[in-house]
């Protein structure tokens, strides 16, 4: 009979594999980004993600287990699809929006996974694992919020072509709301919250 602990350990192995794949993917996302703030956000999350790998090793240890990954099919699929979209939009003003969307899909999967793992660690009475998983969950949520902010402040506008087509590929994305948004004139598609703003 399989137990909650078995499920927990199987899911930790899944995320251990996912995080190691994300460590390899983030430098590619950073390299592709056409905005310094987005690039910096990806690189900052790379450092955190390396920390997530270490934290998951500590979670395994807290259950007297050796760290071992199990292929995370979801992350494989999300990274593959994201890579295809980014390749398709290379050189387009919508590239940064494509990068953010791909990254947020990965973040949402991680947020769902770590939310469950944190609860299960508490149910299993392992406070060390619970606090490690809570720390990872907090960083995933913060990264998602940063990406949402970057998208709403600048990148979605750029994707509409209002600034697109120029060669200013390394420009810094503004923290300011676009002027038309400040005036309350929102372009189509910005009247509703982005899905990424759910957390
Ligand atoms: Fe992570």
């Amino acid at each position: 009979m399989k137990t909650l602990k078995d499920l927990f350990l199987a899911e930790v192995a899944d995320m251990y594999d996912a995080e190691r794949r994300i460590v390899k993917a983030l430098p590619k996302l950073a390299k592709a980004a056409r905005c310094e703030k987005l690039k910096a956000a990806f690189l900052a999350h790379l450092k955190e993600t390396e920390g997530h790998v270490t934290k998951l090793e500590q979670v395994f240890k807290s259950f007297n287990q050796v760290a071992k990954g199990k292929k995370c099919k979801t992350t494989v699929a999300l990274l593959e699809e994201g890579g295809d979209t980014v390749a398709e939009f290379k050189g387009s003003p919508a590239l940064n929006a494509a990068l953010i969307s791909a990254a947020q899909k990965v973040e949402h999967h991680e947020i769902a996974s770590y939310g469950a793992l944190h609860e299960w660690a508490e149910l299993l009475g392992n406070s060390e694992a619970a606090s490690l998983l809570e720390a990872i969950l907090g960083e995933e949520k913060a990264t998602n919020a940063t990406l949402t902010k970057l998208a709403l402040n600048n990148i979605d506008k750029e994707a509409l072509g209002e600034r697109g087509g120029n060669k200013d590929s390394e420009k810094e994305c503004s923290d300011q709301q676009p002027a038309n948004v400040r005036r309350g004139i929102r372009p189509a598609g910005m009247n509703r919250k982005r899905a990424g703003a759910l957390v």
Side-chain angles (χ1 to χ4, degrees), residues 15 19 22 45 48-49 52 107 110 114 136 140:
M15 294 315 291
E19 296 286 12
I22 297 164
H45 194 52
E48 289 176 343
T49 304
H52 299 170
E107 288 306 320
E110 288 187 290
Y114 286 117
I136 300 176
E140 307 294 11

mmCIF file of all heavy atoms in Angstrom, residues 15 19 22 45 48-49 52 107 110 114 136 140, ligand 1:
data_model
loop_
_atom_site.group_PDB
_atom_site.id
_atom_site.type_symbol
_atom_site.label_atom_id
_atom_site.label_comp_id
_atom_site.label_asym_id
_atom_site.label_seq_id
_atom_site.Cartn_x
_atom_site.Cartn_y
_atom_site.Cartn_z
ATOM 1 N N MET A 15 10.448 17.183 -8.683
ATOM 2 C CA MET A 15 10.880 18.585 -8.653
ATOM 3 C C MET A 15 12.394 18.706 -8.659
ATOM 4 O O MET A 15 12.946 19.685 -9.163
ATOM 5 C CB MET A 15 10.272 19.310 -7.430
ATOM 6 C CG MET A 15 8.766 19.453 -7.479
ATOM 7 S SD MET A 15 8.147 20.011 -9.095
ATOM 8 C CE MET A 15 8.758 21.700 -9.124
ATOM 9 N N GLU A 19 14.032 21.156 -11.284
ATOM 10 C CA GLU A 19 14.914 22.284 -10.945
ATOM 11 C C GLU A 19 16.239 22.189 -11.703
ATOM 12 O O GLU A 19 16.779 23.203 -12.154
ATOM 13 C CB GLU A 19 15.184 22.333 -9.429
ATOM 14 C CG GLU A 19 13.954 22.593 -8.574
ATOM 15 C CD GLU A 19 13.449 24.042 -8.635
ATOM 16 O OE1 GLU A 19 13.880 24.819 -9.500
ATOM 17 O OE2 GLU A 19 12.581 24.359 -7.804
ATOM 18 N N ILE A 22 15.674 23.377 -15.105
ATOM 19 C CA ILE A 22 15.460 24.834 -15.135
ATOM 20 C C ILE A 22 16.801 25.577 -14.991
ATOM 21 O O ILE A 22 16.999 26.623 -15.608
ATOM 22 C CB ILE A 22 14.429 25.245 -14.051
ATOM 23 C CG1 ILE A 22 13.067 24.596 -14.365
ATOM 24 C CG2 ILE A 22 14.280 26.755 -13.970
ATOM 25 C CD1 ILE A 22 12.081 24.593 -13.204
ATOM 26 N N HIS A 45 16.926 34.585 -10.814
ATOM 27 C CA HIS A 45 16.192 33.345 -10.516
ATOM 28 C C HIS A 45 17.080 32.116 -10.748
ATOM 29 O O HIS A 45 16.855 31.075 -10.116
ATOM 30 C CB HIS A 45 14.899 33.251 -11.314
ATOM 31 C CG HIS A 45 13.985 32.193 -10.788
ATOM 32 N ND1 HIS A 45 13.619 32.121 -9.458
ATOM 33 C CD2 HIS A 45 13.388 31.132 -11.373
ATOM 34 C CE1 HIS A 45 12.845 31.074 -9.266
ATOM 35 N NE2 HIS A 45 12.693 30.445 -10.408
ATOM 36 N N GLU A 48 18.695 31.558 -7.479
ATOM 37 C CA GLU A 48 17.713 30.970 -6.552
ATOM 38 C C GLU A 48 17.469 29.503 -6.893
ATOM 39 O O GLU A 48 17.343 28.659 -6.006
ATOM 40 C CB GLU A 48 16.389 31.736 -6.631
ATOM 41 C CG GLU A 48 16.453 33.124 -6.032
ATOM 42 C CD GLU A 48 15.160 33.911 -6.190
ATOM 43 O OE1 GLU A 48 14.309 33.531 -7.025
ATOM 44 O OE2 GLU A 48 15.011 34.915 -5.488
ATOM 45 N N THR A 49 17.390 29.218 -8.188
ATOM 46 C CA THR A 49 17.085 27.845 -8.623
ATOM 47 C C THR A 49 18.212 26.892 -8.235
ATOM 48 O O THR A 49 17.961 25.745 -7.846
ATOM 49 C CB THR A 49 16.808 27.826 -10.146
ATOM 50 O OG1 THR A 49 15.757 28.750 -10.412
ATOM 51 C CG2 THR A 49 16.388 26.450 -10.615
ATOM 52 N N HIS A 52 17.491 26.053 -4.932
ATOM 53 C CA HIS A 52 16.373 25.103 -4.795
ATOM 54 C C HIS A 52 16.877 23.661 -4.904
ATOM 55 O O HIS A 52 16.402 22.776 -4.193
ATOM 56 C CB HIS A 52 15.291 25.359 -5.862
ATOM 57 C CG HIS A 52 14.679 26.726 -5.757
ATOM 58 N ND1 HIS A 52 13.843 27.249 -6.696
ATOM 59 C CD2 HIS A 52 14.799 27.677 -4.786
ATOM 60 C CE1 HIS A 52 13.467 28.462 -6.321
ATOM 61 N NE2 HIS A 52 14.045 28.739 -5.172
ATOM 62 N N GLU A 107 6.827 28.560 -13.742
ATOM 63 C CA GLU A 107 6.653 29.017 -12.357
ATOM 64 C C GLU A 107 5.324 28.526 -11.767
ATOM 65 O O GLU A 107 5.275 28.102 -10.612
ATOM 66 C CB GLU A 107 6.696 30.556 -12.275
ATOM 67 C CG GLU A 107 8.066 31.156 -12.494
ATOM 68 C CD GLU A 107 9.128 30.580 -11.575
ATOM 69 O OE1 GLU A 107 8.862 30.349 -10.384
ATOM 70 O OE2 GLU A 107 10.239 30.341 -12.066
ATOM 71 N N GLU A 110 5.586 25.031 -10.735
ATOM 72 C CA GLU A 110 6.386 24.918 -9.510
ATOM 73 C C GLU A 110 5.578 25.371 -8.290
ATOM 74 O O GLU A 110 5.640 24.750 -7.229
ATOM 75 C CB GLU A 110 7.648 25.776 -9.634
ATOM 76 C CG GLU A 110 8.668 25.208 -10.592
ATOM 77 C CD GLU A 110 9.956 25.989 -10.543
ATOM 78 O OE1 GLU A 110 9.965 27.144 -10.998
ATOM 79 O OE2 GLU A 110 10.940 25.452 -10.026
ATOM 80 N N TYR A 114 5.047 22.964 -5.214
ATOM 81 C CA TYR A 114 5.609 23.245 -3.886
ATOM 82 C C TYR A 114 4.522 23.555 -2.864
ATOM 83 O O TYR A 114 4.714 23.313 -1.664
ATOM 84 C CB TYR A 114 6.638 24.389 -3.960
ATOM 85 C CG TYR A 114 7.937 23.937 -4.598
ATOM 86 C CD1 TYR A 114 8.373 24.491 -5.787
ATOM 87 C CD2 TYR A 114 8.701 22.935 -4.011
ATOM 88 C CE1 TYR A 114 9.551 24.069 -6.385
ATOM 89 C CE2 TYR A 114 9.872 22.490 -4.595
ATOM 90 C CZ TYR A 114 10.297 23.065 -5.781
ATOM 91 O OH TYR A 114 11.454 22.621 -6.361
ATOM 92 N N ILE A 136 11.313 27.770 -0.759
ATOM 93 C CA ILE A 136 11.338 27.654 -2.233
ATOM 94 C C ILE A 136 10.059 28.250 -2.810
ATOM 95 O O ILE A 136 10.096 29.042 -3.759
ATOM 96 C CB ILE A 136 11.481 26.178 -2.685
ATOM 97 C CG1 ILE A 136 12.775 25.563 -2.160
ATOM 98 C CG2 ILE A 136 11.444 26.094 -4.214
ATOM 99 C CD1 ILE A 136 12.940 24.070 -2.498
ATOM 100 N N GLU A 140 9.540 31.212 -5.697
ATOM 101 C CA GLU A 140 8.842 30.989 -6.978
ATOM 102 C C GLU A 140 7.725 32.026 -7.145
ATOM 103 O O GLU A 140 7.531 32.579 -8.235
ATOM 104 C CB GLU A 140 8.227 29.577 -7.051
ATOM 105 C CG GLU A 140 9.163 28.413 -6.768
ATOM 106 C CD GLU A 140 10.270 28.222 -7.776
ATOM 107 O OE1 GLU A 140 10.497 29.086 -8.624
ATOM 108 O OE2 GLU A 140 10.942 27.173 -7.699
HETATM 109 FE FE1 LIG B 1 12.405 26.618 -8.636
#
